[in-house]
Every structure is written in structure tokens, then in C-alpha cells.
Amino acid sequence: MATQERQHDDLRTVFTPAAAERVGVEVECGVVDPDTGRAAPYRGPNGVLAVLRAVLAEWGGEALYDAGELAGVRLADGGLLGFEHGGQIEYSAAPAADVVTAVTTVRDVLERLSELARRFGLALLPGAHLPFNRIETVDWVPLARGRLLRAHFADLGPAGSGGAEILALSTCTQVHLDYLSEEDFTAKLRMQAAASPVVTALFVNSPLHNGRLDGLLSRRSWNWTRTDPARCGLVTPALSGAAGFDDLTEWVLDKPMVFYRDGTDQLRRAPERPFASLLRDGFDDGSLPDLGHWDAHLSQIWTHVRVRRTLELRAADGPAYPHLAAVPALWAGLSYDPVARSDAWRLTGHYTAGQQRAAMAQIPRTGLDTRLGPDRVRDLAAELVRLARRGLAARVAAGRESPRVLEYLDPLDEVLATDRTFAQQCAHRWRTDLRGDPRRYVAAYRV
């Protein structure tokens, strides 16, 4: 028993409160041919690998390798540029003290990267899903974990049928927020978990797939419902308010790993046993997991809120480039003001896990017209935006944010006032001024 308690205490160390509340932003972009809108190849003189090599040569930084290939560049300011599995480029900015600084840094880097990509005849395309590709045309980046993940999703059958598209075609804007204590962790996580389906509906923005409007408002969210139900979607303990370090540890201990790094530094498929079982009995090669394996296991949980050393908010589709600041502004306003956070939990925390799952199954098609339990998601979204604006205003008054941050929520007010989501706006443009033309689409939405 004493050994198990020590193990449990060791695992808790991954939940490390921060000294201050910062804002981290990640933006994934497709790197596409501006005429066809299709993703650039991995190799070749005009491939994404050539673009990343140019970043390293011209901007400097630390080269990061995977399977012997350049896979990322750690920039001098601590930011990171790296590949996703289908050749998307993700920029993860170093955490900033406020939303405006974080967004300004992201925009500066993405605009520099866009100019560099132009020299290779390519365009940088944010959003939520590569609109002119299908899975059969993907030029996979040779990331070591990619082969294992694709095999894992294939083994799940229909429950994993969206996983390959998530890897290869999905793009996103994600936010990392801090927690200052276990009590603060609980208050933030439970609200974020409860509010995530409403945020998903508010940001739907992937109506195009393979150049067609297929009836979905969010191809990305639909794929997440078909990726791995055991690892995706709801943080179920948090919905009941049970969201302390021990609660999350026990919840994750009950889930199997997908892959692990063995003693020879090779990635291998993990046994289909809960992590708690691995702690007792070891991997199939006889080795025992350590804290590095536990940290890797946490990274293999893809819920709306991913819990590690920060709270990673993943529910929203990536908006078009002019509106990307709305994602961190909404989450920071709701999370970093205690009054807004408490009110948002009271608004959304009473829905059951079953009601949340039912809503998430409908949101990819119905967006803000979805019902969460008996309530209209549109009404809940309007209240969340109001609370976030109030929370940001309180931070402005306290000197923690620039007044400019309040403008970042304006696109969400427009969505609610016009009753047209980003996806519906995009679909309308596709039928009208873009004339169903990939070249016009890329010109309209590129960085």
C-alpha cells in the first residue's frame, strides 16, 4: 500500500501550479497550393520540409528531429514551429502575460511564415480542416508516432474512422491556460469542461471537404466524435465537479496508452491494458513505466480540455485568420476572472454527461441550433460571450489586459447578432463571391 501511495504522489507531480496566469496560443495552418488549395507535398523543392528548412536557416533556432527528419524548430523566444501528420504547420507561441501580447506574437510569426511560404509558391491557410483534400491524397509526414496512431485508429473500426482525417486534415486554434493551486485547477477545469460543447457550437468553421459542402458545419468536430471515444470528448469527472489532481489521476490511470518509448528509445504499441496495470505488471517487454511514460500517456488523451502542466482548450474549430484572437479572448475571459468563471459554471455545469454527448453528436450538423438538454445552445453561447467580455473588462480594469482585448470578441457578437456561424458565413461565400473556386478561396482566407 505504501508503494502504491508513493506512486500516486509521484504521478501527481505532473500537475504543477504556475506562479502566474499566462496565455499560450497554438495555431495550426495548412500549407497549400494557392491555385488548387491542396496541401503541399512533404518533400521536394516546393514542399513543406523545404519551408521548415528555410525557417531554420534564416530565422535560426534549435532543430528538432523525428525519425531522423527535421520535424520542428524551437525559436529563440521559446516558440515552436513543427509539423502535424499531413504536413500542416503548427506554431506554438511562448506563454505571454496577456491575450493581446500572445495574439500579437502569433500574428507576427504567422505573417513572417506566410511571406516565406510565398517564396516557395505556397499559401498559409488557417481554419479547422483542409478544404480541398481527402485522406487518399495525403502525403504523410514521417513522424514516428504517426504509423502507430493510424494503426490504433484502424483497429478501433468505426469508432476510430475519423482519426486519420484528424491527423492529416485537421487544423485548429488552441489555448493553454495556467492554474495557480489545486483549488484553482478544479474551478477552471470543471467550468471549461462544462462549457466546451457550447464553445464548439459557437466556433463551427469547417463546412468544406474535398471541395464540397457536405452538409456539415464542422467536419473537424464530426471527426472527433469518430476518433477514439475512450480518449476524446468529455472530461467526465469534471462534469460532476470532481476535478482535483487525484480525480484526474485516477481517471487517466484507468485508460490504456496508445504507444510508449522503450529502453532503446523506439516507439512501440502499448498493451491494451489500463496504465494502472502497467504500473503493477510492466510493459510486455518487462520494463516498468516511469514519469516520462506517464507524461506521454497524458499527451495521448485528446479531450476538449487536455490536462497536463497547463489546461489546453481544444474544443473550438480554428476560425479564419482575422478572427483567431476570439478563441484565447473567450477562454481567458471565462477562466481568469473568478466571477465570470463561477457564473459560467452555474450556467453550464448542471448538464449531464449524456446530455453533453448528445449535443456533441448534433453540433457538427446543427451548430448553434443544437439543444443541450432542454436549452438552446445559441442562448447559452450568448451568455458565455457576455460573461467573457465582463471577465476581460475586469482584467482591463485591473491592468492585466490592454483595452484592445475587448475587440477580440466582436466577431462572436456578430455571429450571434446575425445568426450565422463562421461555417455558414464561409458556405455563403463559397456559393457566391468565391464561385466555388479554390483559388478564390485561398486568396480570401490565407494569412
Side-chain angles (χ1 to χ4, degrees), residues 11 22 34 38 104 180 184 208 212 264 300 318 349 363 398 413 431:
L11 298 180
R22 301 161 302 169
R38 290 189 176 175
T104 300
L180 306 179
D184 190 53
L208 276 170
R212 296 187 304 107
T264 65
Q300 296 167 27
I363 283 169
D413 288 336
R431 296 187 188 102

Side-chain angles (χ1 to χ4, degrees), residues 14 275 290-300 308-309:
V14 76
F275 197 89
D290 57 23
L291 282 177
H293 292 113
W294 174 244
D295 202 27
H297 181 41
L298 288 171
S299 75
Q300 296 167 27
R308 292 186 286 179
R309 289 173 174 82

